Amino acid sequence: MFDTAINANDLIFLAKGAGMTIFVTVISVFFGTVLGILFGVIRYQIGPVWAAPLTFVLDIFRSIPLLIQLVLTYAFLGMVLKLGLSGLTVACMVLTMYCSAYCAEIVRGGIESVPLTLRRASRSIGLSWGQDMRYIVMPLATRVALPSWIGLALGVMKDSALVYVVQVTELLKSTQILITRLQEPLLLLAICGAFYFIISFPVARFGGYLERRWSND
C-alpha cells in the first residue's frame, strides 16, 4: 500500500513556492522584454560600432552564469553599497537584466529578418520611422521572434530556481526544505516537476497557438 508523510499543508507550502516562482518569472520576463525591445531596437538602429558598449554590457549578462550574477549582485548591493534590498528585489533585478540581454538579440534578429525592400517601400509612401516600426517592422518581426521569446520565458522560469541563493523560497527551494524534513525525495521531486509542468505547459501551448494562427493569416 502506498504510504507517505506528505500532507495537505506540505502541498500548500509547495503551491506557495510555485506562486513565488510565477511572480519572479512574470516580473522578470515583463521588464526584461520591455528592456530587450529597447536594447534590440537601439542595437539595430545605431549599428554595431556605436552599439559596442551596450553589446559589451549585454554580453556580460549572457556570458556569466546566472548563479554567479545573483551572488555577486546581492553581495555588492548589500555589503558594499549598503542598500539593504531584499533577496526578492535582487532576484527580480538580476533576472530582468538576464532576460533583457537575450531578448535584445531576439528582437534584433527579428528586425533584421524584415526585408529592406519592404521597409524602403513603406518609407517611400510617406510613413515615418515610427510608423514603419509600428505597422510594418514589429508585426513581421514578432512572428519571427515569438518562438525564441517563448523559449526564453520558459528558460527564465526554470532558471528562477537559482534565486534560493539570495534567500528567496521558490518552488525548488520549498521542495528541498520538505525533502530535508520528510526524507521522501523521489515523490517530492515528482510533485515539484508536476508543478513546473502545470506552470509552463499553458505558455508553450499558447505560443504554439499563436504561431499556427499567424502562419495561416
Side-chain angles (χ1 to χ4, degrees), residues 13-46:
F13 182 66
L14 289 176
K16 290 180 179 179
M20 180 60 69
T21 293
I22 294 173
F23 177 79
V24 171
T25 301
V26 170
I27 294 297
S28 303
V29 170
F30 176 78
F31 288 105
T33 299
V34 172
L35 289 176
I37 293 173
L38 177 62
F39 295 154
V41 172
I42 291 174
R43 287 196 60 197
Y44 174 81
Q45 197 64 33
I46 67 177

Side-chain angles (χ1 to χ4, degrees), residues 49-60:
V49 176
W50 291 104
L54 175 60
T55 302
F56 176 74
V57 173
L58 296 178
D59 283 342
I60 292 176

Side-chain angles (χ1 to χ4, degrees), residues 192-212:
C192 177
F195 270 110
Y196 274 114
F197 176 78
I198 292 171
I199 295 170
S200 61
F201 183 76
V203 177
R205 290 301 91 200
F206 182 66
Y209 164 75
L210 289 179
E211 285 187 69
R212 290 191 300 271

Side-chain angles (χ1 to χ4, degrees), residues 93-109:
M93 289 171 56
V94 173
L95 278 172
T96 293
M97 291 306 301
Y98 178 78
C99 178
S100 71
Y102 283 97
C103 187
E105 284 299 303
I106 294 173
V107 171
R108 184 182 62 83

